[in-house]
Amino acid sequence: MLDTDDDDNEQQEEENESLGFQDETFDGKIVDFYNGDGSSDFEEEGEEEVYYYDSDGKLVNLPDDEFDDLGLEVKEKGVPAVMRCFDRAKIYVKAGDGGNGVVAFRREKYVPLGGPSGGDGGRGGNVYLEVDGAMNSLLPFRNCVHYRAGRGAHGQGRMMCGRKGEDVVVKVAPGTVVREAGNDEVLLELLYPGQRALLLPGGRGGRGNASFKSGNNKVPKIAENGEEGPEMWLELELKLVADVGIVGAPNAGKSTLLSVISAAQPEIANYRFTTLLPNLGVVSFDYDSTMVVADLPGLLEGAHRGFGLGHEFLRHTERCSALVHVVDGSGQQPEFEFDAVRLELEMFSPELAEKPFIVAYNKMDLPEAYENWPSFKEKLEGLGIETCCMSAVKREGTHEVISAAYKLLQETKEPNEGFEGFEDPKDLNHVADMVQKQRSSSISEFEITRDGSCSTWYVNGAGLQRFVQMTNWRYIDSDKRFQHVLEACGVNRSLMKLGVKEGDTVIIGEMEMVWHDSAENSGTPNMKKRSTESIKWPHLK
């Protein structure tokens, strides 16, 4: 943000002259920098400003010693949108609603007393999650957030049922972790290409009047609405499934190494943060020996706190069995660069620091790297760390590096061979089973609460909510059926036992009704509805 007011410019020039320097190319005054996440900061050379916020979100400028006493929240820097790895996404999914049943009667010549012929509605479409091996990020979800399955067709006369709604398949990358929005519990973990999980089943179709025909009611004039499909917001997080991860500081030569050892074609340029998205490559040694290598974005100091690409980089190392540390040998102090990377891994997760790794000293084609190599090798070998030198640009030493990584990978897999196995696809449908179990609960399972201030009774039950939502109130017989169901499942009896009175309000789901005692104080009470708004299924719990 720039402020080019003349008075401020003159004052700034006077201050600059008093400090002994003057900038002739810039006339404005820098007020502060906007980070894109609601915070602002001004950076000076050699120091970094930290801002503290209280519980109300107000900015508080305090020194470090007072910060610890008050327990305020640190506002970290945001990452520009163009530099974010698209390995997190939030999407909305909804299964298809069921089709409505229909009231119809058969009327044909020479067919007396044809009877009811209304067909049932079709079932709504399902929502599936499927792993697509060609995807390596969640970038497609940046432009497409809502996924809705098709609705089932309505029933028709002559006993014709509606067709099923169209299913929707959400393609995700291998290694995607699925959570419900606002909940840390993992719903699904999709690792292997071709895996498919049924997430949300479609709503069932409403019954037509032909389904209500009985000996006592041969001409039913009643039909059901289709069941509404469940819906939820999902949070997707991608953790790449790779055998070996290439880590290091920015511009160390990680992408160049991946392009040399595999057929991957990552972007390569001589500037920092060339790699913004993780890249995968398959390294083949022979017909039976292959391994997947991931080139991960560069690491900055403070990445464990979210600086730079921060967690966008570090989370992808969690599934790698081994690591290759690429060190820029042309730097002034390569050993300090290696120590900084190791420190960030350990501070983010101690488990990452315990993963087996090798060190690849890169850029041996440059004189600076050639001179620093003996001291670097002596120091790491003194610590018992295996070290290799290479020049990724000239393809010198890269085969030795990747062979050492493959050997390390084989040694890592041997102790775990007895525990690894492909996940049974049937186990992936447990989320849909939970939703189906919740939707198919009995109408006799309910609880009643009372608000004494306004004489209101609340009848809560998933089965009753489903019954209210599927009742088509346009038909007179629906009211009679509703009263009969309330009596049969014990709602009326429970309300009278708890002391409901004439004129009290009774709410079942989103149906609001008024209680009326019978005229002779005997028999079945009746409730008259006030509103029949649509009912949505609650989120999965």
Side-chain angles (χ1 to χ4, degrees):
M1 294 185 291
L2 301 180
D3 185 2
T4 57
D5 187 77
D6 295 338
D7 297 337
D8 295 340
N9 291 341
E10 294 177 1
Q11 182 180 0
Q12 181 67 21
E13 292 175 359
E14 294 176 1
E15 294 177 358
N16 293 342
E17 292 176 358
S18 63
L19 294 176
F21 66 91
Q22 183 175 1
D23 187 1
E24 299 178 355
T25 61
F26 177 67
D27 296 330
K29 180 182 72 174
I30 299 178
V31 180
D32 53 16
F33 295 97
Y34 181 67
N35 287 327
D37 61 350
S39 64
S40 61
D41 58 78
F42 180 79
E43 296 182 352
E44 296 181 358
E45 184 177 0
E47 63 180 9
E48 183 172 357
E49 186 73 16
V50 180
Y51 292 87
Y52 304 99
Y53 292 79
D54 59 11
S55 59
D56 298 330
K58 296 181 180 180
L59 179 64
V60 180
N61 293 327
L62 292 175
D64 294 339
D65 52 353
E66 297 184 15
F67 167 76
D68 297 334
D69 297 336
L70 297 180
L72 300 178
E73 179 183 0
V74 179
K75 184 67 175 180
E76 296 180 351
K77 286 188 174 181
V79 182
V82 295
M83 294 182 60
R84 292 175 185 155
C85 294
F86 292 100
D87 51 8
R88 283 193 175 186
K90 185 176 181 180
I91 63 174
Y92 169 84
V93 292
K94 184 182 186 307
D97 299 337
N100 298 335
V102 67
V103 174
F105 295 91
R106 184 178 182 184
R107 295 182 178 89
E108 297 182 17
K109 192 176 182 179
Y110 306 118
V111 183
L113 304 178
S117 62
D120 301 339
R123 189 176 187 84
N126 302 326
V127 177
Y128 294 91
L129 292 179
E130 184 176 355
V131 181
D132 187 357
M135 295 178 60
N136 65 348
S137 71
L138 302 180
L139 185 60
F141 299 108
R142 184 181 182 184
N143 299 324
C144 186
V145 177
H146 298 84
Y147 294 86
R148 295 182 175 89
R151 176 171 186 168
H154 301 317
Q156 300 181 20
R158 297 186 179 181
M159 304 292 292
M160 291 190 294
C161 298
R163 59 177 173 79
K164 183 181 180 297
E166 184 177 359
D167 297 334
V168 62
V169 180
V170 182
K171 299 292 185 71
V172 297
T176 301
V177 178
V178 183
R179 298 182 178 89
E180 186 181 6
N183 192 348
D184 295 335
E185 183 181 357
V186 176
L187 296 180
L188 292 171
E189 192 169 3
L190 305 174
L191 303 179
Y192 308 103
Q195 278 186 310
R196 172 179 280 204
L198 174 60
L199 183 66
L200 297 178
R204 67 180 180 89
R207 291 178 291 177
N209 67 332
S211 301
F212 292 94
K213 182 180 178 180
S214 64
N216 296 329
N217 189 6
K218 297 183 178 180
V219 188
K221 297 179 181 179
I222 185 174
E224 289 180 333
N225 293 327
E227 183 181 19
E228 291 188 354
E231 58 186 9
M232 75 170 57
W233 282 90
L234 299 176
E235 291 181 353
L236 307 180
E237 180 182 358
L238 176 61
K239 295 180 181 179
L240 291 182
V241 181
D243 298 321
V244 177
I246 305 177
V247 300
N251 205 27
K254 303 182 296 298
S255 299
T256 304
L257 175 61
L258 181 65
S259 64
V260 169
I261 63 178
S262 69
Q265 297 180 352
E267 183 180 358
I268 301 174
N270 189 20
Y271 58 85
R272 298 166 71 86
F273 295 112
T274 308
T275 303
L276 301 180
L277 295 174
N279 299 296
L280 288 178
V282 179
V283 181
S284 177
F285 294 93
D286 51 43
Y287 292 103
D288 298 328
S289 301
T290 60
M291 69 177 180
V292 181
V293 180
D295 165 31
L296 304 174
L299 185 65
L300 283 179
E301 183 179 357
H304 67 280
R305 297 176 55 193
F307 284 85
L309 293 178
H311 299 163
E312 311 295 334
F313 157 80
L314 291 169
R315 78 166 58 92
H316 294 291
T317 61
E318 294 179 347
R319 282 208 176 103
C320 298
S321 300
L323 301 177
V324 175
H325 285 262
V326 178
V327 180
D328 185 0
S330 63
Q332 296 181 354
Q333 296 175 323
E335 58 275 7
F336 290 164
E337 176 183 315
F338 169 74
D339 293 339
V341 173
R342 294 293 304 170
L343 180 61
E344 293 299 330
L345 292 176
E346 183 176 359
M347 295 184 70
F348 177 75
S349 174
E351 297 179 358
L352 295 181
E354 297 177 359
K355 288 182 179 291
F357 67 93
I358 62 172
V359 179
Y361 186 85
N362 193 22
K363 302 186 180 181
M364 284 291 290
D365 55 304
L366 300 179
E368 299 84 355
Y370 187 81
E371 294 176 359
N372 296 332
W373 166 242
S375 60
F376 182 83
K377 179 180 179 182
E378 181 181 357
K379 178 180 179 180
L380 266 67
E381 287 185 350
L383 300 175
I385 301 175
E386 182 179 359
T387 308
C388 304
C389 62
M390 68 175 184
S391 174
V393 173
K394 293 188 176 182
R395 300 175 180 244
E396 296 177 354
T398 56
H399 181 71
E400 289 75 8
V401 171
I402 204 63
S403 298
Y406 182 73
K407 180 180 178 182
L408 187 64
L409 179 64
Q410 295 301 112
E411 296 175 355
T412 305
K413 286 186 175 181
E414 286 179 0
N416 299 327
E417 285 182 355
F419 301 96
E420 293 183 354
F422 188 84
E423 186 177 357
D424 190 356
K426 295 182 180 179
D427 298 335
L428 298 177
N429 298 335
H430 66 275
V431 178
D433 296 338
M434 293 171 59
V435 175
Q436 190 66 29
K437 181 179 180 181
Q438 179 184 4
R439 296 196 309 176
S440 60
S441 58
S442 175
I443 60 175
S444 60
E445 299 176 359
F446 59 88
E447 60 180 7
I448 300 176
T449 59
R450 181 189 179 187
D451 185 359
S453 60
C454 54
S455 299
T456 302
W457 301 80
Y458 296 91
V459 182
N460 301 315
L464 284 174
Q465 290 185 22
R466 181 184 69 251
F467 175 71
V468 170
Q469 183 263 314
M470 297 186 66
T471 300
N472 192 332
W473 302 101
R474 294 182 300 173
Y475 304 110
I476 300 178
D477 290 354
S478 298
D479 292 337
K480 299 178 181 179
R481 177 171 176 256
F482 183 71
Q483 294 287 346
H484 175 73
V485 169
L486 293 182
E487 179 66 25
C489 67
V491 173
N492 292 343
R493 185 169 56 256
S494 299
L495 287 172
M496 289 188 294
K497 185 176 180 181
L498 294 174
V500 66
K501 298 179 181 179
E502 175 78 20
D504 287 355
T505 302
V506 179
I507 298 178
I508 303 177
E510 295 189 6
M511 171 68 66
E512 183 177 340
M513 296 162 288
V514 179
W515 178 272
H516 291 283
D517 294 329
S518 58
E520 300 178 356
N521 293 329
S522 61
T524 303
N526 63 84
M527 290 183 285
K528 297 183 179 179
K529 61 181 182 297
R530 285 183 177 176
S531 61
T532 57
E533 298 177 356
S534 61
I535 300 173
K536 293 185 178 180
W537 282 100
H539 294 290
L540 178 64
K541 295 183 179 179

